[in-house]
Amino acid sequence: MSNVRGRRVEFDDIDENDLVISEPKTAAAGLKAVEVAFERGLKQGGASRTVRSMFRVNQPDGVDCPGCAWPESITGDRKKIEFCENGAKALAEENTTRVATPGWWEQHPISVLEQKTEYWLGQSGRITHPMIIREGESHYSPISWADAFETIAEHLRATEPDRSVFYTSGRTPNETAFLYQLFARSLGTNNLPDCSNMCHESSGTALSPTIGIGKGTVSLEDLEKAELIFVVGQNPGTNHPRMLGTLAACRRNGGKVVAVNPLPEAGLLRFKDPQTPKGLLADGERTSDEFLQIRVGGDQALFQALGHLLLRKEAETPGTVVDRDFIESSTDGFAAYSEARQELNWAETELATGLERAEIEHVADLLAKSRATIFCWALGITQQPHSVDTIKEIINLLLLQGNFGKPGAGACPVRGHSNVQGDRTFGIWEKPKEDFLQRLDAEFGINAPRRHGYDSTEAMHAMARGDVDVFMSLGGNLAMANSDTAAMEAGLKRTGLTVHISTKPNRSHVVHGKTSIILPTLGRTDKDDKHPGGAQFLSVENSMSVVSRTQGRLEPVSDHLLAEPVLLARIAEAVFGPDHVIDWRAMAEDYDVIRDRISRVVEGTEDFNRRVRDKYGFVLPNPPRDTRTFATAEGRAQFSTRELEYLLPPEGHLVLQTMRSHDQYNTTFYGLDDRYRGISGGRRVILINPADLGPAGVDDGQLVDVVSVFNGEERRAEKFRMVAYPTARGCVAAYYPEANALVHRDLVARESNTPGFKAVMVRFEPRTDDEEPAEIHSLVDAHG
Ligand SMILES: Nc1nc2c(c(=O)[nH]1)N[C@H]1C(S)=C(S)[C@@H](COP(=O)(O)OP(=O)(O)OC[C@H]3O[C@@H](n4cnc5c(=O)[nH]c(N)nc54)[C@H](O)[C@@H]3O)O[C@H]1N2
Ligand SMILES: Nc1nc2c(c(=O)[nH]1)N[C@H]1C(S)=C(S)[C@@H](COP(=O)(O)OP(=O)(O)OC[C@H]3O[C@@H](n4cnc5c(=O)[nH]c(N)nc54)[C@H](O)[C@@H]3O)O[C@H]1N2
Ligand SMILES: [Mo]
């Protein structure tokens, strides 16, 4: 095939029994990280593509790393290399020259693909042609772009707008996200679930009513200036590696770092900066001063205890701890809060947190002394029934000491996907605000619907009920990402048409709707130059509200790929016809036209086209940070007073949290090793404290089935290996997405509806067919 520049590889089936367990590491990054980064790049894409893309990552005229949403400096100079091991792996995955051609799809019918792991599917490479499978067919076959668009249009025209669902994964750039929501709303639905629903939704839900903005309030520079940083429920060594450099910088400036986590994650202990020669050789620097090994779900109890202790100290020495002026001028609800924190039940606090009173008191002393504190958090506290309340307790602590709108202080939810925050800013939301819809209507002459749409959990329910005729997915892999895998897959299969705008094969293509279409698209590192005015760029927003350009330069692996904005505009043209009020083509030809129109709809993007071309882009307005103002309903920041809640497993059960390994990007696997945790060659493991083995009726290394319980219903996942590991007592851990089958779809965070991925009650049933025990270097002796 002359217009495909890639190679097909036969990816060997992987033996998941190669599991080897060794000591967990105590430091992250270092020389090994650089080595792994280059090795993966060379394996996937060859030397020239690897080097060309790596050095352009996160540079002013370069490509935004498709890994995480951690920011780069916008004040000082950028380093020559602004990427990390895992960013390099994300690039290698996308830059690969392996291809899944029509021949590949022909060779692999659905009955074969169904048996394959996600790892195998992803390693097959980039999809090169639009593909379709119709009811009764055994495999996908090629379809022309025009026929694909016409088929999608027929299905959309034949159904009610609210029987269609438009899912977005957070890698989608701003302009693309804007076009996509415009399309859904022109059609007449707000069914715009996104990966944020499964991720930081609890953060937005807690922040909006309390501080008037659903995002973080700090800049990168604030983190370096902070006197105290809490890192709660986050594994930065793996998921935000460049954050380790920032934490180390804060400590060098005299700041302190407190990590709160059930697992002693390598990156939370020590860090070897791979970007300095010293960092490569030495033992590395410490990243945290204190480590609180909390029980899963115990954070709200910890934060209530810290609030209680701060108020006690203030009562002893008035005017030294609490920022009375700020509370008086800018907040509501302090009296009720301090009343509720007057007394503390220490026995219950110790039970909920698994911490000793003295540990909590020591950290409270640090907090009381700090004049500039930042709380960073991620999924360790967003995916539990009481997540919203837990995050509101963080806000209470920040408000008590006036930690908004001053240098080195604030709230820092650390976002995941590289543009998940931008997608929301630019309109992907099932619950849009009225003022946004009014501006959208005025700009485009449409009547956007006002009814709220489905979030990701509700979308799964709707699909399972048979209430969805068309499901479109802009990136992502909902079959694997969502909870309750069996229900999710059954729902997808019930849907009339599933449309996947994707770069690589994944499970959602395999458990498809009655008809299913795959639209292969350019990735972020690919050159997007088939436009009348030449090459185009897109933009993204990072975790700290900075909007900047991203532009790929690599030759795409196939001439049949379309850029996402082009492909969306052509679907819209097929649905609405050539005389629609919206000139879709003009926007697809020249992305400046999209940005012009955005600048009249999305607040804070005035003069978008000029400002996005500034060297480092521009920063979106952030009232708490910029002016110490809070755009809540009351016009003031709000203290919250909520009942204490924590996770108490039923008799004979433990609490399971699901998390990422060092070798994956969400549902995409780079490999089967979790280097820092000492686990290699396999992923079906349960990490358990050695002292919990006996009571749970299992041995180290034993093969078990895992059974979860929720509301009297059980779920089962087979063949996991028990691994003794220094996790908090009573709390076990497994990898996502293997464990998603155990998460009942009604187990969600209240208010945000985020699946309870870190709150699953489980027990273990030893298997009798265990023939090949894993190579276990007993951690029972090391840590017992
Ligand atoms: N390389 C790589 N980078 C990524 C991703 C990836 O898959 N790979 N994913 C991206 C995405 S979309 C996201 S959202 C982020 C996710 O970034 P993280 O939030 O770091 O992701 P998880 O692996 O889910 O890790 C959760 C952490 O919380 C801890 N934890 C679990 N339960 C609790 C609890 O009850 N209390 C506390 N205090 N801690 C708890 C776990 O031990 C673990 O350290 O990373 C982004 N970056
Ligand atoms: N148990 C459990 N489940 C979880 C979580 C957890 O912690 N535990 N975390 C949740 C979180 S935080 C998130 S964000 C979700 C993630 O949910 P998703 O965002 O849906 O999943 P991803 O694995 O990131 O999506 C990967 C797919 O995106 C496609 N892709 C990659 N790059 C591009 C591109 O440039 N363009 C297009 N169009 N497609 C592309 C590829 O086909 C790839 O297969 O999972 C959630 N699920
Ligand atoms: Mo995420």
Side-chain angles (χ1 to χ4, degrees), residues 119-310:
Y119 185 32
W120 188 94
L121 289 171
Q123 294 301 316
S124 301
R126 292 285 297 267
I127 305 165
T128 59
H129 291 67
M131 306 297 295
I132 186 167
I133 184 166
R134 299 180 188 81
E135 207 162 1
E137 290 180 349
S138 60
H139 52 75
Y140 280 91
S141 54
I143 181 173
S144 72
W145 279 107
D147 289 346
F149 296 139
E150 197 39 51
T151 310
I152 295 168
E154 275 165 24
H155 280 262
L156 285 172
R157 282 193 302 253
T159 185
E160 304 280 307
D162 280 337
R163 292 181 64 86
S164 304
V165 171
F166 298 91
Y167 174 70
T168 313
S169 168
R171 199 180 287 206
T172 309
N174 298 330
E175 293 80 355
T176 318
F178 185 80
L179 273 191
Y180 193 55
Q181 63 82 32
L182 178 63
F183 173 64
R185 294 192 168 116
S186 304
L187 206 61
T189 184
N190 283 313
N191 285 343
L192 285 158
D194 66 351
C195 69
S196 191
N197 296 144
M198 297 176 277
C199 182
H200 264 290
E201 197 65 57
S202 303
S203 303
T205 305
L207 296 176
S208 292
T210 52
I211 60 166
I213 188 167
K215 16 180 150 174
T217 67
V218 301
S219 67
L220 193 59
E221 284 65 33
D222 284 325
L223 283 155
E224 294 181 1
K225 288 182 201 143
E227 290 182 24
L228 182 62
I229 299 178
F230 280 80
V231 181
V232 186
Q234 220 200 314
N235 179 20
T238 286
N239 297 316
H240 304 92
R242 287 175 304 123
M243 181 178 179
L244 300 183
T246 307
L247 294 178
C250 169
R251 292 190 71 256
R252 263 179 253 133
N253 294 339
K256 287 203 173 344
V257 175
V258 176
V260 185
N261 202 302
L263 298 177
E265 310 281 28
L268 297 176
L269 307 175
R270 301 188 80 81
F271 166 58
K272 303 184 197 173
D273 189 348
Q275 302 186 349
T276 63
K278 217 172 113 214
L280 291 179
L281 300 173
D283 294 342
E285 309 175 61
R286 281 173 66 169
T287 41
S288 63
D289 298 85
E290 305 294 333
F291 172 61
L292 296 179
Q293 185 162 36
I294 197 154
R295 286 215 170 116
V296 171
D299 305 81
Q300 192 197 6
L302 169 67
F303 301 143
Q304 289 196 350
L306 291 175
H308 165 79
L309 291 168
L310 288 186

Side-chain angles (χ1 to χ4, degrees), residues 2 64 111 120 136 145 229 262 269 290 302 353 361 398 453 480 525 541 570 576 579 590 606 609 635 751:
S2 58
D64 180 66
S111 57
W120 188 94
W145 279 107
I229 299 178
L269 307 175
E290 305 294 333
L302 169 67
T353 59
E361 284 175 340
L398 289 171
M480 286 281 97
T525 50
E541 175 188 345
R570 289 191 57 188
F576 299 122
D579 303 323
D590 180 355
E606 299 76 18
N609 273 309
E751 300 175 75

Side-chain angles (χ1 to χ4, degrees), residues 484-655:
D484 227 343
T485 313
M488 183 66 233
E489 295 194 351
L492 280 167
K493 287 182 182 174
R494 249 191 115 162
T495 302
L497 174 73
T498 49
V499 180
H500 312 274
I501 302 168
S502 308
T503 49
K504 293 184 143 192
N506 67 38
R507 178 83 182 167
S508 300
H509 306 153
V510 177
V511 289
H512 56 78
K514 292 182 183 122
T515 298
S516 179
I517 295 181
I518 302 174
L519 305 176
T521 187
L522 297 177
R524 208 179 267 178
T525 50
D526 293 326
K527 181 163 79 178
D528 179 7
D529 61 352
K530 290 183 192 150
H531 298 264
Q536 302 290 309
F537 68 86
L538 291 157
S539 69
V540 291
E541 175 188 345
N542 67 28
S543 215
M544 285 159 198
S545 306
V546 180
V547 175
S548 60
R549 274 172 297 160
T550 175
Q551 183 167 15
R553 313 268 160 148
L554 292 182
E555 197 63 48
V557 292
S558 158
D559 289 338
H560 302 280
L561 308 184
L562 288 184
E564 285 169 336
V566 174
L567 176 164
L568 291 176
R570 289 191 57 188
I571 297 176
E573 281 183 339
V575 173
F576 299 122
D579 303 323
H580 193 234
V581 286
I582 299 172
D583 188 349
W584 297 96
R585 180 158 308 187
M587 293 193 278
E589 285 183 348
D590 180 355
Y591 301 168
D592 276 359
V593 177
I594 314 180
R595 281 184 285 269
D596 249 352
R597 306 203 78 166
I598 288 176
S599 69
R600 293 187 287 273
V601 177
V602 178
E603 274 184 325
T605 62
E606 299 76 18
D607 212 2
F608 197 168
N609 273 309
R610 184 186 60 75
R611 289 196 293 157
V612 78
R613 286 175 165 86
D614 286 350
K615 188 172 178 197
Y616 294 137
F618 63 96
V619 188
L620 288 167
N622 192 305
R625 175 173 76 196
D626 304 340
T627 55
R628 242 192 182 190
T629 51
F630 303 92
T632 58
E634 301 81 1
R636 297 155 69 85
Q638 303 293 308
F639 278 94
S640 321
T641 308
R642 299 290 178 104
E643 289 290 309
L644 174 61
E645 199 175 314
Y646 50 96
L647 301 173
L648 264 187
E651 182 67 34
H653 293 73
L654 295 108
V655 185

Side-chain angles (χ1 to χ4, degrees), residues 199 379 416-417 660:
C199 182
L379 305 190
H417 256 301
R660 291 147 175 82

Side-chain angles (χ1 to χ4, degrees), residues 30 186 345 361 384 391 419 430 561 638 681 757:
S186 304
N345 180 339
E361 284 175 340
Q384 293 158 347
I391 296 164
N419 199 42
E430 74 283 355
L561 308 184
Q638 303 293 308
F757 291 131

